[in-house]
Amino acid sequence: MGDFDVQDARDLLAKQKAEAAQHQQLVAKMKRIAQNPNMDKEDYEVMDFLKTALARQEKAKRLGLQPESSKS
């Protein structure tokens, strides 16, 4: 395994950790929204983010492309 392979593995690991952290933050926000019936500005921002992410996934599915990060 060469230096470039090691660096690629480190970059991939860092990207996966960042995606996992972002996913956990999103899950926590969604849980808070579900538990609190009163929505504030941040809640609407999360809803908008989810709508755009869903639209991107649907577009990729229609075009037969894989989504950017597929989590199975």
Side-chain angles (χ1 to χ4, degrees), residues 9-10 24 27 33 36 38-39 43 57 64 66 68-70:
R10 287 180 181 160
Q24 288 300 322
V27 168
I33 290 171
N36 185 5
N38 301 324
M39 291 184 64
D43 297 337
Q57 284 181 341
Q66 289 291 344
E68 234 176 66
S69 62
S70 61

Side-chain angles (χ1 to χ4, degrees), residues 17-30 71:
K17 282 185 177 182
E19 287 175 352
Q22 183 181 19
H23 180 72
Q24 288 300 322
Q25 288 175 345
L26 183 60
V27 168
K29 287 180 182 180
M30 289 172 59
K71 297 187 180 185

Side-chain angles (χ1 to χ4, degrees), residues 7-54:
Q7 187 60 43
D8 288 343
R10 287 180 181 160
D11 292 343
L12 180 62
L13 180 63
K15 180 181 176 185
Q16 288 175 344
K17 282 185 177 182
E19 287 175 352
Q22 183 181 19
H23 180 72
Q24 288 300 322
Q25 288 175 345
L26 183 60
V27 168
K29 287 180 182 180
M30 289 172 59
K31 183 177 179 182
R32 185 178 50 81
I33 290 171
Q35 291 175 345
N36 185 5
N38 301 324
M39 291 184 64
D40 59 10
K41 181 181 175 188
E42 183 181 358
D43 297 337
Y44 287 109
E45 290 171 359
V46 171
M47 295 293 285
D48 289 339
F49 173 78
L50 292 173
K51 286 178 186 177
T52 57
L54 181 61

